[in-house]
Amino acid sequence: MDLVPALNEPLKQPLKSVLGPATAKVMAEHLGLHTVGDLLHHYPRRYEERGQLTHLADLPMDEHVTVVAQVADARLHTFASAKAPRGKGQRLEVTITDGSGRLQLVFFGNGVHKPHKELLPGTRAMFAGKVSVFNRRLQLAHPAYELLRGDGDETVEAWAGALIPIYPATAKLESWKIGKAVQTVLPTAQEAVDPLPPSLRQGRALLPLPEALLKIHRPHTKADIADARARLKWDEAFVLQVALARRRHADALLPAVPRRPTPDGLLTAFDDRLPFTLTEGQQKVSKEIFDDLATEHPMHRLLQGEVGSGKAQPLDSLVLTPAGFRRMGDMAVGDEVVVPDGEIALVDGVFPQGEREVWRLVLSDGSSVECDDEHLWIVGTSGGRHRGQAPEVMTTRELRLDTFEADGSSKWYVPAATPVDLGDDSGLPLDPYRLGLSLGDGSFRHACVPDDFKNTSIKNRLALLQGLLDAGGTVGEDGLSISLCSASRRLADDVAWLVRSLGGRARVLPEKAAFDVSLALPDAYAPFRLTRKAERVSPRPEDDTFRRGIRAVEYVGRKPVQCISVAHPSHAYVTDNFTVTHNTMVALRAMLATVDAGGQAAMLAPTEVLAQQHHRSVTEMMGELAEGGMLGGAEQATKVVLLTGSMGAAARRQALLDLVTGEAGIVIGTHALIEDKVQFHDLGLVVVDEQHRFGVEQRDALRGKGKQPPHLLVMTATPIPRTVAMTVFGDLETSVLDQLPAGRSPIASHVVPAADKPHFLARAWERVREEVANGHQAYVVCPRIGDEEDDPKKAGKKKSPEDEAEKRPPLAVLDVADQLAKGPLQGLKVEVLHGRMNPDDKDAVMRRFAAGETDVLVATTVIEVGVNVPNATAMVIMDADRFGVSQLHQLRGRVGRGSAAGLCLLVTEMPEASAARQRLNAVAATLDGFELSRIDLEQRREGDVLGQAQSGARSSLRVLAVIEDEEVIAEAREEATAVVAEDPELEHLPGLRTALDALLDEEREQFLEKG
């Protein structure tokens, strides 16, 4: 910065006579403006024309604004209050106008005298204050103002020219005061050194920097503003991209150990035990990572999207083994299971998954099976079977969101399992056929088939079934309809079980006093031995298969679950004749590849709970491959250790020893990993989970533990727009793992303007009643609880007129629930849920809602995550403008989780042109996570893309908008890459070097060094 000493001067010195130390202090503390250069780069937010007044309807709620308008009316009122009990309180109400809209200003007490004299009808002025609502009207309470007399006075000189700049301001420093300060230092803009190379500036017809600064602060025309902004956007984009390009260039020169997986090593052994085939997306992302790991400079890659997990069934579900069905929870590695084609295979992995939401698939014959939402099913359509199409693999979620054809018939069918011999033929106490005859007359109310006769050979099961049908079975007139009537429900279920075990189809239908089993068997198995019955059976049509349709997917609740890995090419097993597979993690394969190549991999998790979950999941997925050096460990195995702050001293010492000796190939931990005592034998890969939860110093401390710079894989589940990836993560290559569920139920979202159109809100409650009438349920979400702890109305303090001028408090759960129960939702079962309820009471409320006993649940954002009630189809979010974009998206995700479409109504009292209303309109318009991330970013702004936001410093972006200026950023990235490739140290571009030094102060430079 030696080239521009004038721009480096502190603001206090040149402006002392104008602003004084107090104003300079406000500029420094509230706007981050410390030097003359800082002030010159504090650009106007917008401009007002003297001949054109502000559109007052565009004012955003709760924001500090500056407007130019004309006084239409001013009235002084007196009133009685606690401070002025004799009616001597004074309130000045001033109405200003832009010719088409009006805005009320209000002043109280001693503050009325000066504006009462100055703000006369016809007076024009600039007003600054915070927009609020009182009596459903926009107002500014106690605004600051500056008269625009146009009479040769100093004020007019300060805003000479046709356009008045409106600066980003604070409540303590109004826009016009900032403008006066800028005018004072503007002559020094001539000394600004241009950072853009002359060839770039001339090739793109951009203004010189001094001229751009002059035109941005003192424009004469709108064209001046456009030219200046175009130039200054290029400054910000180009200097930033040069910084990132230099980082990438430096990284490319760093040495790193290539990490190529060993053929037939740990990764191969892990893939061989995977109970599924990697999806196309997983294969693509894995290849990108493996290609990076194989290079001789450090990988810097960002992995966006979920990284996957095991797919599971409840512990009480059944798995078919050669000896009969066993509980999933009793399965162990080495157990034999039956795969769908009838072969026998070994279980080579058992992976407990804790508690999860569980669903029940109900088939067309009434049988059912339970599983989690991510479970994979081998299914086909009836039309696909006729066309010879291969079966599809679909998740439970996909099936429940796309269950039926347009005519209501089942869309998806599951194949029958191939019949197999079970158990042992020897030792049956009675001939199976004779047992069937004795049970088949249907008169025994508690009759059942003993397990020995179910878990036996195909021949014996068929003989038993034939005896049952010969004694009590009937054949319909069509020769195809076969049934058996039994007084015992257990026997009816056992008959259906026998039929399904032979590859057939059976359905149990309750009659008035008995149970009727309707069944069909493959042609290979004759249902009767008696000639008079057998002769009546007709051959089955060729297209009459034994595939069963999926008729419903019902929510069950939370249960402990696990999944198993089957050592068979099909990676499948039979559970009540259903066929399933599983899934796993991409990041784990990258760590295994590193270990294969002789290195160590470290995963950094933000919390102990998450670190423990990752450790448990990884060790369960790897099985004996995670037991390196231990009895029973596989030949290619490594050791997987956990390191957290709460570990006992002995376990911690052992973990540290395993790391420094190289015994442990994988370590998963928290911030404890970055402590000085933690040393690695050969750290080859760092995986950072939930990267936004860590400071750059923490990531750098872990990366610094490698002998050479380790490869880096950063993971985030948050969608990031491309332009943000080019700036915030400009030194990282990006991989996107898109695992969004296909066929998701549509969620219709609408904004309900309660103040403008009250009948819309009335209609919203009618829609809730309609959903309940159709057998569904609804949520109503409020920003506040409404008990005495957070309700200002119950504080017992009398409101002053000043308090009345403030906006009303957010709507509360307790108030809204009471109003709904007595009003528009009268007669429905309405309950409340919020965070300060007793845990047992909360659980009871959620259980009743999940069971369908409650029609409407009025709640706070406690339902934002972890609540899964598929029957809830409608959500009304009150005061939706009080929630952020991501919160609204999370809340909306609570509906549309079943087969029925979802409805989300965003209720607001914000004016139509307000920024809050525009945000709600944007949220209502899309369900796309990437698009919503753009909206969220536009609302929050970019912050400091070099990480300074972590320390609360001001943003380095002032005119450049990461979302809107994608083309400028992309072009600047190309130009910057070319410039750095030709001149990495910028020796021939002193102006650019100076600008880079200004951007990269000490903290920013450290940030880039740390990546």
Side-chain angles (χ1 to χ4, degrees), residues 497-537:
W497 189 98
L498 288 168
V499 172
R500 293 171 192 142
S501 80
L502 297 172
R505 184 175 65 233
R507 183 174 181 83
V508 179
L509 300 170
E511 300 291 341
K512 287 184 179 179
F515 299 91
D516 189 65
V517 186
S518 173
L519 60 98
L521 284 168
D523 291 338
Y525 305 114
F528 302 102
R529 286 188 184 179
L530 286 177
T531 304
R532 61 183 175 83
K533 289 187 176 183
E535 288 177 345
R536 295 180 57 192
V537 177

Side-chain angles (χ1 to χ4, degrees), residues 923-988:
V923 171
T926 182
L927 295 171
D928 181 76
F930 281 90
E931 181 59 29
L932 287 172
S933 72
R934 291 172 63 96
I935 296 167
D936 193 30
L937 187 64
E938 286 170 346
Q939 296 300 319
R940 293 185 293 105
R941 298 296 297 172
E942 292 79 6
D944 191 319
V945 298
L946 292 183
Q948 287 289 76
Q950 292 179 356
S951 57
R954 61 191 170 83
S955 170
S956 62
L957 301 186
R958 294 170 181 79
V959 289
L960 186 72
V962 166
I963 292 298
E964 298 166 10
D965 298 320
E966 179 172 345
E967 188 175 333
V968 173
I969 293 170
E971 291 178 3
R973 184 181 175 95
E974 288 182 16
E975 294 275 9
T977 302
V979 165
V980 171
E982 187 174 326
D983 183 7
E985 297 304 318
L986 309 179
E987 294 176 356
H988 304 294

Side-chain angles (χ1 to χ4, degrees), residues 765-797:
W765 302 127
E766 288 176 12
R767 284 291 289 113
V768 170
R769 297 192 75 99
E770 289 168 8
E771 290 297 312
V772 172
N774 288 331
H776 299 302
Q777 296 159 273
Y779 298 99
V780 177
V781 182
C782 303
R784 196 164 53 89
I785 297 173
D787 53 17
E788 291 186 3
E789 288 185 51
D790 75 341
D791 193 343
K793 291 189 292 187
K794 298 182 180 179
K797 182 179 177 181

Side-chain angles (χ1 to χ4, degrees), residues 466-728:
Q466 288 171 334
L468 285 160
L469 294 175
D470 280 352
T474 59
V475 185
E477 292 182 3
D478 59 1
L480 297 175
S481 305
I482 302 172
S483 62
L484 178 141
C485 190
S486 172
S488 168
R489 176 63 196 243
R490 285 187 65 190
L491 182 60
D493 288 338
D494 286 345
V495 170
W497 189 98
L498 288 168
V499 172
R500 293 171 192 142
S501 80
L502 297 172
R505 184 175 65 233
R507 183 174 181 83
V508 179
L509 300 170
E511 300 291 341
K512 287 184 179 179
F515 299 91
D516 189 65
V517 186
S518 173
L519 60 98
L521 284 168
D523 291 338
Y525 305 114
F528 302 102
R529 286 188 184 179
L530 286 177
T531 304
R532 61 183 175 83
K533 289 187 176 183
E535 288 177 345
R536 295 180 57 192
V537 177
S538 302
R540 306 197 64 78
E542 288 185 11
D543 62 348
D544 187 359
T545 70
F546 295 93
R547 295 157 61 90
R548 290 168 289 168
I550 297 174
R551 292 303 301 163
V553 185
E554 301 171 346
Y555 178 68
V556 176
R558 291 187 69 82
K559 283 188 174 184
V561 298
Q562 75 177 27
C563 61
I564 58 174
S565 167
V566 178
H568 187 271
S570 68
H571 301 305
Y573 61 91
V574 176
T575 169
D576 286 341
N577 298 336
F578 282 78
T579 305
V580 292
T581 53
H582 308 275
N583 208 338
T584 188
M585 299 195 300
V586 167
L588 175 55
R589 298 182 73 244
M591 292 194 285
L592 296 176
T594 303
V595 176
D596 249 357
Q600 293 170 290
M603 176 182 276
L604 184 61
T607 66
E608 286 207 4
V609 171
L610 197 54
Q612 290 164 352
Q613 286 178 358
H614 281 319
H615 179 258
R616 186 166 57 247
S617 178
V618 167
T619 53
E620 287 165 355
M621 289 301 299
M622 290 177 65
E624 69 273 13
L625 295 176
E627 298 173 355
M630 301 166 66
L631 190 64
E635 181 184 347
Q636 305 96 330
T638 187
K639 199 168 185 180
V640 180
V641 300
L642 175 70
L643 189 63
T644 67
S646 64
M647 290 175 64
R652 182 180 177 79
R653 276 197 302 271
Q654 184 60 51
L656 293 175
L657 182 63
D658 289 339
L659 288 177
V660 76
T661 61
E663 187 78 15
I666 295 175
V667 59
I668 299 167
T670 57
H671 304 78
L673 282 176
I674 65 179
E675 294 174 4
D676 291 340
K677 292 181 181 178
V678 180
Q679 299 296 324
F680 289 83
H681 176 69
D682 182 11
L683 181 60
L685 171 67
V686 173
V687 178
V688 180
D689 188 27
E690 297 296 340
Q691 57 79 28
H692 60 279
R693 304 279 292 276
F694 291 101
V696 290
E697 293 83 1
Q698 295 162 324
R699 295 199 294 270
D700 177 60
L702 182 54
R703 289 178 64 198
K705 292 181 179 294
K707 294 175 182 177
Q708 287 191 346
H711 299 279
L712 175 68
L713 179 64
V714 173
M715 299 193 299
T716 175
T718 306
I720 300 172
R722 174 175 174 263
T723 47
V724 181
M726 283 194 297
T727 50
V728 182

